[in-house]
């Protein structure tokens, strides 16, 4: 099996910064795309940012210029650096990694979610 563990969420004031991390472990042969999603109360889960195995990135319009996604392939970890945070960024943030497993098959795995609250 493959496990994703997220960290770095918390309470921050408007205009502040947070860095989320998501580390994968387990039966990993190779990891392809990685991404961050978020879900606010009463809303659907939405893509925040994604990064391919080659390092190409894409961002939702509502975070462009404020958020940077990056990855460390040696550590099977994806990061989300969030700056200039706004109250509307408040949500549970989930990471996802597309993994080719050692036992065969390629699957999308999800983290447990980490709460980000932006409030004064």
């Amino acid at each position: 099996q493959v496990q994703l563990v997220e960290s770095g969420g918390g309470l921050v004031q408007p205009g502040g910064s947070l860095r989320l991390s998501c580390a994968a472990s387990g039966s990993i042969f190779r990891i392809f795309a990685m991404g961050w999603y978020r879900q606010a109360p009463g809303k659907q889960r939405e893509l925040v940012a994604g990064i391919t195995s080659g390092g190409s990135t894409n961002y939702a319009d509502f975070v462009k210029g404020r958020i940077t996604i990056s990855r460390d392939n040696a550590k099977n970890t994806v990061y989300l650096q969030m700056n200039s945070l706004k109250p509307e960024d408040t949500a549970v943030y989930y990471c996802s990694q597309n993994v080719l497993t050692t036992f065969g098959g390629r699957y999308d795995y999800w983290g447990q979610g980490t709460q980000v609250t932006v409030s004064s």
Side-chain angles (χ1 to χ4, degrees):
Q1 265 292 6
V2 175
Q3 299 80 37
L4 270 58
V5 178
E6 302 170 8
S7 60
L11 173 65
V12 64
Q13 292 186 342
S17 299
L18 281 175
R19 189 189 193 214
L20 307 183
S21 300
C22 172
S25 63
S27 304
I28 299 168
F29 182 78
R30 182 180 175 185
I31 302 177
F32 294 92
M34 299 177 173
W36 286 95
Y37 296 74
R38 71 184 189 186
Q39 187 167 19
K43 295 187 177 181
Q44 289 188 332
R45 190 173 299 188
E46 58 186 356
L47 175 69
V48 176
I51 185 167
T52 68
S53 56
S56 297
T57 58
N58 65 288
Y59 296 93
D61 287 342
F62 55 77
V63 298
K64 281 183 179 177
R66 301 188 297 120
I67 287 180
T68 302
I69 188 171
S70 61
R71 62 191 286 168
D72 184 333
N73 292 325
K75 296 181 179 180
N76 294 333
T77 300
V78 59
Y79 304 97
L80 192 70
Q81 177 66 46
M82 303 189 291
N83 302 320
S84 302
L85 284 164
K86 306 175 181 180
E88 50 264 42
D89 293 319
T90 295
V92 178
Y93 284 71
Y94 298 90
C95 70
S96 178
Q97 298 192 23
N98 183 250
V99 179
L100 178 61
T101 62
T102 56
F103 54 82
R106 180 172 166 178
Y107 307 96
D108 289 324
Y109 290 91
W110 291 84
Q112 79 283 3
T114 185
Q115 177 70 45
V116 171
T117 302
V118 185
S119 175
S120 55

